[in-house]
Amino acid sequence: MRSDTMKAGPERAPHRSLLKALGFTDEELARPIIGVVNAHSEIVPGHVHLDGLAAAVKAGVRMAGGTPVEFPVIGVCDGIAMGHRGMKYSLASRELIADSVEVMAEAHPFDGLVFVTACDKIVPGMLMAAARLDLPAIVVSGGPMLPGRFRGQDVSLSKVFEAVGALAAGRITAEDLREMEEAACPGCGACAGMFTANTMNCLTEALGMALPGNGTIPAVAAARLRLAKQAGVQIVRLVERSLRPSAILTRAAFENALAVDMALGGSTNTILHLLAVAAEVGLKLSLERVNEISERTPNLCRIDPAGPHYVVDLDEAGGIPAVMMELARGGLVDTGALTVTGRSVGENLRGRTVLRRDVIRSLEDPYSPTGGLAILWGNLAPEGAVVKKSAVVPEMMVHRGPARVFDGEEEAVAAIMGGSIKPGDVVVIRYEGPRGGPGMREMLAPTSALAGMGLDREVALLTDGRFSGATRGAAIGHISPEAAQGGPLALVREGDPIAIDITRRTVDLLVDEAELAARRAAWRPPEPRVKRGYLARYARLVTSAGTGAVFRES
């Protein structure tokens, strides 16, 4: 066993002495030592209940004859960090999480790892660590929050953000907003729609790194605790078989995850994260391949914010196994890919079926014949941009309008809330990329303000930053290269015409090349916004969104 490095033989008597100071017996030390990586905290609704799930994991480990050892990692609540300086740290935390798990697992040689997680950057950070360490590993997510109820309607956090814009437009009262604030988030779990957290939890299951049900079983369900116990049992079996992430995280697994992503219409942030996890196992996922998978995969689900359903509805419909079974009917997933169950995708799908056709449509009756996400290209995004096209209304799939240019999120929000954005405009928010932000902030505030004011059907938004999975509308993010690197977004001026054609996968600045060349010659990089601390180091090391915003190797 790998853990013998710290516990076996007479020369390890001092080490055993320290382990016994923790209360471990010789019998416990003779068993496989399983690290339980717990993202529990009291600031993240998706994580507040993870102490109970970690306890269930540990019970499962003991049931299977292993010895669990729990340690923590950090986690940012994107919703609470949204719209202020705190959001600069969200994406940046992903690298810290992966690095901190590496430190703990190398300093204390565990035999296997169970990752207890839930939210946006924590799930991919843990997957990156699992891929990098290549120890037997399994992920247990905290599960989705139930939707709230507001005046007889299901609601989620995104509706509260949109209500802020509705209040500014005079469409609702302050009391309406207060009532929705009280109702929207009824308890623990990852926010109830197909936002980044729940999308990543679903894709972890599709990748084969979590047990069936991981992505959709509600946070408050007893089935979630049973799943955690099963994961604790299964990690010991994975250690016994020496079944490692390198055998699971294959190209087939990533393409399965992308197919599920397209069928679900998941968060645009998943493209960043799948690229980053793939890089840890030495795989290069190209944005061109993302579009190829989108072109062949129908959009089968419209989960909030793209439609009326929530993740709990997806669970009732059969969850990710039901989605994958439907895709498998059309040969759209590789059923031979291996998973942490120790069986193939195809074996896991036996007996699965779609239980609610209103939630998971058939291949013959999709919402769209192509996937819910699209990569756009053009002279504004020579290295690509991403849009959640399943959440774009038909009349905004093709749009042309004048640029309204803002060098940061706060300026744009002030303009939107102040009523200076007009129908037909293209809002450009730049210097918010991985380096320029720094940290590539999610910008749910401007997109929600536009939606709340009823402008999401008439105004597009472009940025080198990114959007929350709760965003809807013609919100095009991850524009690469970013403005801080001298990308074309840095050259846009107020009033420049911009053409967007999501159906053709294009986004272009309609300014002649001679003029752009003159602007490029005159452009100078801005002063760094942060000059000390982790964010300053992050800005120096991070690459573009087109490569997953991972760190440079040198």
Side-chain angles (χ1 to χ4, degrees):
M1 290 187 291
R2 183 174 185 266
S3 60
D4 286 347
T5 304
M6 66 176 174
K7 70 183 186 182
E11 68 278 12
R12 294 295 183 252
H15 305 65
R16 290 193 297 275
S17 182
L18 289 168
L19 290 166
K20 288 177 177 179
L22 299 170
F24 290 116
T25 66
D26 286 331
E27 184 180 1
E28 287 174 302
L29 295 179
R31 299 171 178 173
I33 307 296
I34 306 299
V36 179
V37 190
N38 188 0
H40 168 259
S41 75
E42 296 182 350
I43 190 62
V44 186
H47 292 192
V48 71
H49 63 305
L50 296 186
D51 51 347
L53 279 185
V57 167
K58 291 189 286 187
V61 170
R62 294 188 184 102
M63 287 163 57
T67 297
V69 180
E70 182 180 338
F71 64 91
V73 294
I74 62 169
V76 171
C77 178
D78 280 20
I80 296 173
M82 196 75 66
H84 57 84
R85 177 181 170 86
M87 180 47 71
K88 293 179 182 289
Y89 287 87
S90 175
L91 180 61
S93 73
R94 187 187 70 182
E95 317 310 306
L96 278 177
I97 290 162
D99 290 350
S100 65
V101 174
E102 176 192 351
V103 166
M104 289 296 289
E106 294 288 14
H108 315 97
F110 302 113
D111 296 301
L113 295 168
V114 181
F115 295 94
V116 184
T117 180
C119 290
D120 299 55
K121 307 313 152 314
I122 302 87
V123 177
M126 290 190 174
L127 284 170
M128 289 166 69
R132 184 185 306 172
L133 291 162
D134 202 27
L135 300 174
I138 191 167
V139 176
V140 179
S141 299
M145 185 185 292
L146 297 177
R149 293 288 290 175
F150 174 72
R151 299 179 182 175
Q153 299 293 318
D154 285 343
V155 293
S156 70
L157 178 68
S158 63
K159 299 298 189 293
V160 187
F161 273 96
E162 291 178 12
V164 174
L167 178 67
R171 300 171 68 189
I172 64 170
T173 67
E175 183 53 37
D176 294 333
L177 178 62
R178 172 72 177 175
E179 186 180 337
M180 185 178 289
E181 170 191 328
E182 294 286 339
C185 298
C188 67
C191 296
M194 194 55 72
F195 312 154
T196 308
N198 284 323
T199 309
M200 282 306 304
N201 290 329
C202 289
L203 298 193
T204 301
E205 187 179 331
L207 279 168
M209 286 297 294
L211 297 177
N214 178 77
T216 59
I217 296 172
V220 295
R224 178 63 57 179
L225 289 172
R226 295 195 295 271
L227 184 80
K229 288 180 183 176
Q230 291 162 2
V233 170
Q234 187 61 20
I235 188 60
V236 179
R237 294 173 180 162
L238 295 178
V239 169
E240 291 168 351
R241 289 183 54 180
S242 194
L243 181 51
R244 300 170 184 270
S246 55
I248 295 169
L249 292 173
T250 61
R251 185 168 296 280
F254 284 100
E255 295 200 350
N256 282 351
L258 283 168
V260 170
D261 205 3
M262 298 307 166
L264 294 175
S267 166
T268 53
N269 289 313
T270 58
I271 304 303
L272 278 177
H273 300 322
L274 289 175
L275 291 175
V277 178
E280 292 287 352
V281 292
L283 288 174
K284 180 174 175 55
L285 291 182
S286 71
L287 295 179
E288 290 86 354
R289 184 58 177 158
V290 173
N291 258 354
E292 288 171 9
I293 293 171
S294 178
E295 286 295 329
R296 77 183 191 198
T297 309
N299 179 214
L300 305 180
C301 304
R302 290 283 167 95
I303 311 294
D304 179 64
H309 302 120
Y310 292 84
V311 180
V312 64
D313 298 307
L314 181 59
D315 190 62
E316 289 179 4
I320 299 308
V323 174
M324 295 187 79
M325 177 61 82
E326 189 64 26
L327 293 174
R329 280 204 309 116
L332 297 171
V333 291
D334 186 332
T335 56
L338 190 59
T339 75
V340 291
T341 65
R343 300 186 297 272
S344 69
V345 167
E347 290 171 309
N348 290 343
L349 295 183
R350 284 179 189 158
R352 302 285 187 164
T353 188
V354 176
L355 302 176
R356 283 184 57 181
R357 277 294 179 198
D358 61 320
V359 178
I360 304 172
R361 289 193 174 185
S362 69
L363 295 177
E364 294 76 24
D365 181 35
Y367 284 101
S368 165
T370 57
L373 299 178
I375 308 298
L376 308 186
W377 312 88
N379 70 351
L380 257 183
E383 294 177 8
V386 186
V387 66
K388 186 172 183 171
K389 73 182 186 68
S390 61
V392 180
V393 294
E395 55 265 39
M396 287 298 293
M397 295 295 282
V398 178
H399 181 77
R400 176 173 171 165
R404 304 296 311 280
V405 184
F406 304 96
D407 290 345
E409 178 185 6
E410 289 82 1
E411 292 179 26
V413 171
I416 294 167
M417 299 294 279
S420 66
I421 302 301
K422 305 302 181 186
D425 285 349
V426 178
V427 175
V428 173
I429 305 177
R430 62 190 178 190
Y431 298 111
E432 288 287 5
R435 181 186 298 181
M440 201 181 183
R441 286 191 287 181
E442 283 185 352
M443 288 180 277
L444 184 55
T447 57
S448 296
L450 289 171
M453 299 172 83
L455 291 172
D456 59 307
R457 293 175 174 270
E458 300 174 287
V459 172
L461 197 156
L462 276 62
T463 183
D464 52 6
R466 60 197 179 90
F467 300 111
S468 165
T471 291
R472 60 187 173 97
I476 298 165
H478 306 198
I479 290 178
S480 299
E482 62 175 289
Q485 291 179 299
L489 207 64
L491 310 180
V492 181
R493 292 182 180 174
E494 187 79 8
D496 282 350
I498 291 176
I500 299 162
D501 191 334
I502 296 172
T503 60
R504 293 178 179 270
R505 310 288 197 263
T506 60
V507 54
D508 288 295
L509 177 62
L510 303 181
V511 174
D512 70 69
E513 187 51 45
E515 171 63 18
L516 291 179
R519 294 182 190 181
R520 192 174 292 110
W523 179 81
R524 297 293 179 271
E527 279 290 309
R529 286 174 169 165
V530 179
K531 298 182 180 180
R532 58 182 294 182
Y534 176 62
L535 276 182
R537 294 196 300 277
Y538 179 86
R540 289 194 296 269
L541 292 171
V542 72
T543 62
S544 77
T547 56
V550 297
F551 281 170
R552 293 193 302 274
E553 287 298 317
S554 60

